[in-house]
Amino acid sequence: LILSLVLSCAAYPTSTAITSKLLIDYKRIASKEAEVIIGILIFEDLISILLMSTLTGITTYREVKEEGILRGIIATILVFLIFYILKKPVENSLERMEKDIEASLVPFMVLGFLLVSAGAGLQLGLSDALISFMLGVLVPEKSWLYQSIERSLSDLKDLSTGVFFFMFTFNAQIGQGFDIAVFVVITIASLILKATSSFLGGLSIGLSKRISARIALSMMQRGEFSVLFASLYKPSQELVFMLVLASAIVGSVCFVYAPKVIDRILPPQSRGKPPPTRTA
């Protein structure tokens, strides 16, 4: 049951990193469907963080217990409440700290606070992704601390992302008891269901069939959150790794050729030429 829960969560979220990069590289950021795609990605990230918190409680006990699920839900609600209460005091504290702290000490302060908070969250059965997300929400985008973090930690962010994916692949133990039939079924089902739900979602908010179909073909790639889900439970890592690899390739190809494919299947309606004017 735990394996099924982890695999279903891993098959859910579209990769924000891959999709946003494709939107920029293929100049579709100004297209009609880009705003909807970005909105769906943000919503999926929020839901994935909540799922991470619940799964952390379940995988800690190594079995589905009401205690673990209830503890994860209550702890998540408390974390949101605490961070909501702290938001304004933190903003005021940041304004006062700007005059007292040196810019060179900011990376050490941020990393230390992040590690302590994530470690405390894990002791409570909470996902470190949830803690990291809430810490990011606390820091206003226009504050000096946010700008300093963005300036001094951007290189470390890219490095840590690469190290995370490398370590996940290194520890996945690929090739030991890999069930090809299960992998094929999960991959095909996840691609079809994601395309179908994205298409129906586009139609439900009043978009045309052409735009909804382009959205459907642009949302198939899995990525970082799928890997995070699999990192909670080792027996799922091999299947999730192959799912991410296959969906990233298929999804990227579908994204690139989505406009051309949809133009062939659902050609744009011609408006027709205006009638010729009569001359005297």
Side-chain angles (χ1 to χ4, degrees):
L1 180 56
I2 296 178
L3 179 61
S4 300
L5 289 172
V6 173
L7 289 177
S8 61
C9 290
Y12 164 63
T14 300
S15 171
T16 302
I18 296 175
T19 307
S20 57
K21 188 75 166 61
L22 289 171
L23 282 171
I24 295 171
D25 289 350
Y26 288 91
K27 298 179 174 59
R28 288 177 57 187
I29 198 68
S31 61
K32 294 181 180 179
E33 67 269 16
E35 184 177 353
V36 180
I37 291 174
I38 293 172
I40 294 174
L41 292 175
I42 294 173
F43 178 80
E44 287 183 348
D45 287 351
L46 292 173
I47 297 300
S48 296
I49 289 171
L50 297 177
L51 290 174
M52 282 283 296
S53 300
T54 305
L55 279 182
T56 301
I58 293 174
T59 54
T60 300
Y61 290 96
R62 295 299 171 184
E63 59 179 322
V64 181
K65 285 186 175 181
E66 293 82 357
E67 180 185 353
I69 298 175
L70 185 61
R71 182 180 177 182
I73 293 174
I74 293 175
T76 303
I77 294 173
L78 288 176
V79 166
F80 273 92
L81 183 61
I82 291 170
F83 275 86
Y84 178 78
I85 296 172
L86 290 177
K87 185 170 178 58
K88 194 62 180 177
V90 168
E91 291 180 3
N92 296 333
S93 300
L94 290 178
E95 293 178 2
R96 291 194 296 268
M97 287 173 58
E98 184 175 1
K99 302 176 182 178
D100 301 330
I101 189 169
E102 296 183 11
S104 59
L105 297 178
V106 170
F108 300 100
M109 181 188 72
V110 171
L111 284 176
F113 195 70
L114 179 62
L115 291 173
V116 170
S117 303
L122 288 175
Q123 289 296 319
L124 296 173
L126 286 171
S127 167
D128 48 354
L130 173 64
I131 302 298
S132 303
F133 172 78
M134 296 308 298
L135 288 175
V137 171
L138 278 181
V139 182
E141 288 189 21
K142 296 182 180 179
S143 66
W144 67 274
L145 181 59
Y146 183 90
Q147 297 172 1
S148 179
I149 292 172
E150 194 173 44
R151 183 174 57 254
S152 57
L153 295 181
S154 58
D155 295 336
L156 181 60
K157 178 192 70 174
D158 296 335
L159 175 63
S160 59
T161 302
V163 170
F164 171 77
F165 280 102
F166 171 79
M167 291 306 298
F168 173 82
T169 308
F170 182 77
N171 294 322
Q173 299 179 351
I174 298 171
Q176 298 185 9
F178 180 64
D179 195 330
I180 297 179
V182 175
F183 159 69
V184 172
V185 170
I186 291 177
T187 302
I188 294 176
S190 65
L191 294 177
I192 293 176
L193 292 174
K194 175 61 71 173
T196 304
S197 62
S198 301
F199 178 75
L200 295 177
L203 293 179
S204 67
I205 60 173
L207 298 177
S208 66
K209 290 183 178 180
R210 296 184 72 252
I211 297 177
S212 300
R214 286 205 301 266
I215 294 174
L217 291 179
S218 303
M219 301 288 293
M220 297 185 185
Q221 49 278 357
R222 306 298 184 271
E224 57 280 359
F225 261 112
S226 299
V227 174
L228 281 172
F229 283 124
S231 66
L232 298 175
Y233 194 61
K234 275 198 170 185
S236 68
Q237 291 180 358
E238 187 176 19
L239 274 171
V240 173
F241 173 78
M242 298 303 295
L243 170 65
V244 170
L245 181 62
S247 64
I249 296 173
V250 174
S252 298
V253 172
C254 289
F255 185 100
V256 172
Y257 291 100
K260 295 181 180 179
V261 171
I262 299 306
D263 284 342
R264 285 182 175 273
I265 299 174
L266 299 170
Q269 296 179 352
S270 58
R271 298 180 180 178
K273 297 181 179 180
T277 56
R278 294 183 180 181
T279 55

